[in-house]
Amino acid sequence: MAVLNKEYNKFDKEIKLNNSRKDSLKTSRKELRKKIRNWFKENKPDEIKPKFNSQGSFEMNTTINPIVEYEDDGSALRKYDLDDGVYFIYNDEDDVKQTIDTWHNWVFRATENHTGKDSMRKTTCVRVIFADGHHIDLPIYYKEGDNFELAHKSKGWIDSDPKEFYEWFNEKKKIRSRLEAIVRCLKAWKNYREINNSSLKLPSGFELSILATDNYVDSDNLDEAFRETVKSIDETLNKENGFKCYRPTTPSGEDVFENYSETRKNNFLSTLRSLKDDCIKASEESNFKKASEILIDKQFGSRFPKGEDEDQQVKNDALKTSLASALVTPKPYGH
């Protein structure tokens, strides 16, 4: 049985968002906040002034380096992102709660032509896309008292507090030491599988984070922790009436899988089963190279490192011999 802990840890290091890209996101966020503040100051001086709070995977340290994609002209796109909530906070009776479309339109106008690329109007946010492919999503919230509402263009105002979610996750990972890495590996798996099948739509990073947290299995190595967590997720979702994923924060108890079509559900379950089966198959292979190739071929792609062409048992025997030699007590000189 080849334990691929070294390979998994190298993979996690490869896919984890590096510091230069984190800095790029922070710079983009700072410039956008300044532009939005100035636009409201100049164009809507009597309206509630927006405030901001970063959220999502960036605050959970689970953002990944995505697989590089290419445009028709050959330019590289790296689609990493950051969510930065735009908050309109009620303070006194003169503050007016605008309609969802109004606030979406104002934020869109405030960011229009910021990067030379068109901003995108999404149902839950305004997306600002930068030249290298990274983007900032700007979901819009209204806060009155302790109540937060997301401005959803198709569903209306929805109770939602994204800060609760990343605080929930960050608290859970304190006693789940490999949770961050497992979520990143699941996101990298999603990235690779969707790149190779454009019709496949796996759960969002948000949903994968809930599944990994709720089904987390600890181990002293990342290989086993990832495999056992995937097995636990698969077992949970395949129970009778078990295909559910409950949001742990506001709106608490919401099943975020509720609107999955039967096709999307079945595609996810079969793709997840494939991951589980290959993880098990790799764990049963004695040769490190062959074990890693099982995961490279269909689940993670070439970013997952190839193991040495060596058997686990040979490595264990060599280690035992080395330890035994070190423990031999040398005879006195001249004996």
Side-chain angles (χ1 to χ4, degrees):
M1 176 177 176
V3 178
L4 297 176
N5 186 53
K6 180 175 71 173
E7 288 74 20
Y8 266 98
N9 282 315
K10 285 183 178 179
F11 181 53
D12 183 44
K13 185 176 180 180
E14 170 71 19
I15 62 177
K16 186 177 181 179
L17 192 69
N18 58 39
N19 288 332
S20 65
R21 289 179 185 152
K22 286 182 180 179
D23 290 342
S24 178
L25 286 172
K26 289 177 182 177
T27 299
S28 298
R29 178 180 65 188
K30 182 179 179 181
E31 292 172 349
L32 270 176
R33 287 179 174 184
K34 181 179 179 181
K35 185 162 189 176
I36 293 169
R37 287 190 184 103
N38 287 340
W39 187 90
F40 273 85
K41 182 178 179 180
E42 294 170 5
N43 295 279
K44 304 294 175 183
D46 298 326
E47 298 291 338
I48 302 175
K49 300 299 181 291
K51 297 185 182 298
F52 304 88
N53 191 62
S54 186
Q55 60 192 58
S57 60
F58 194 80
E59 296 301 316
M60 295 154 57
N61 201 32
T62 59
T63 308
I64 65 166
N65 289 314
I67 295 170
V68 179
E69 300 178 54
Y70 295 91
E71 292 192 299
D72 293 338
D73 62 3
S75 56
L77 295 178
R78 294 173 173 84
K79 297 181 180 180
Y80 59 99
D81 65 276
L82 179 148
D83 292 352
D84 197 28
V86 183
Y87 288 78
F88 295 95
I89 301 173
Y90 177 89
N91 287 312
D92 59 50
E93 60 184 16
D94 292 329
D95 290 337
V96 177
K97 181 181 182 181
Q98 297 293 343
T99 66
I100 290 171
D101 283 341
T102 296
W103 267 328
H104 268 261
N105 286 334
W106 288 351
V107 172
F108 177 84
R109 289 167 59 190
T111 60
E112 200 170 11
N113 298 319
H114 177 67
T115 67
K117 288 181 171 287
D118 293 335
S119 297
M120 294 177 63
R121 301 175 187 266
K122 310 279 284 183
T123 56
T124 59
C125 67
V126 172
R127 175 170 294 176
V128 181
I129 303 171
F130 291 76
D132 69 346
H134 83 267
H135 64 265
I136 303 285
D137 281 342
L138 300 164
I140 297 162
Y141 298 88
Y142 176 70
K143 179 180 182 291
E144 185 171 351
D146 295 327
N147 188 50
F148 293 83
E149 294 177 312
L150 170 67
H152 196 294
K153 293 183 72 174
S154 63
K155 296 181 180 179
W157 292 105
I158 299 174
D159 288 339
S160 178
D161 187 352
K163 183 181 177 184
E164 279 185 358
F165 183 76
Y166 71 71
E167 288 179 342
W168 170 81
F169 181 86
N170 289 342
E171 188 64 29
K172 293 292 185 181
K173 74 183 183 185
K174 290 179 181 178
I175 56 172
R176 294 167 172 80
S177 60
R178 301 188 184 278
L179 180 59
E180 260 188 29
I182 287 172
V183 170
R184 286 192 291 265
C185 288
L186 283 170
K187 287 184 173 183
W189 165 72
K190 164 186 166 70
N191 185 205
Y192 179 72
R193 294 303 300 260
E194 290 181 342
I195 286 285
N196 284 276
N197 182 355
S198 59
S199 65
L200 183 63
K201 188 177 181 184
L202 294 172
S204 66
F206 170 78
E207 292 162 344
L208 291 173
S209 298
I210 297 173
L211 291 174
T213 305
D214 288 348
N215 294 279
Y216 178 82
V217 179
D218 199 17
S219 174
D220 61 0
N221 68 79
L222 182 54
D223 179 356
E224 184 176 358
F226 181 77
R227 179 175 66 254
E228 294 303 318
T229 297
V230 168
K231 286 167 63 177
S232 179
I233 294 171
D234 177 75
E235 181 181 354
T236 297
L237 295 180
N238 280 287
K239 290 177 180 176
E240 187 176 356
N241 297 319
F243 190 79
K244 300 181 186 300
C245 180
Y246 292 110
R247 185 190 296 268
T249 55
T250 306
S252 183
E254 176 194 15
D255 177 13
V256 295
F257 284 172
E258 184 178 5
N259 294 321
Y260 271 45
S261 67
E262 196 66 19
T263 298
R264 187 180 181 191
K265 169 188 171 180
N266 291 333
N267 285 345
F268 168 42
L269 289 177
S270 64
T271 311
L272 177 67
R273 189 174 306 113
S274 169
L275 174 63
K276 179 197 71 173
D277 291 346
D278 278 350
C279 284
I280 294 172
K281 186 177 178 182
S283 75
E284 294 171 345
E285 171 59 58
S286 62
N287 182 275
F288 293 101
K289 179 173 177 287
K290 291 179 180 177
S292 62
E293 286 174 341
I294 292 168
L295 298 174
I296 290 168
D297 288 345
K298 193 162 66 173
Q299 305 303 339
F300 295 131
S302 60
R303 294 198 295 178
F304 193 88
K306 190 172 290 187
E308 297 177 7
D309 192 3
E310 180 183 23
D311 282 5
Q312 178 76 60
Q313 188 59 50
V314 172
K315 187 173 183 179
N316 290 344
D317 290 345
L319 180 59
K320 287 177 183 178
T321 301
S322 177
L323 289 172
S325 298
L327 292 172
V328 173
T329 305
K331 293 180 180 180
Y333 179 76
H335 177 75

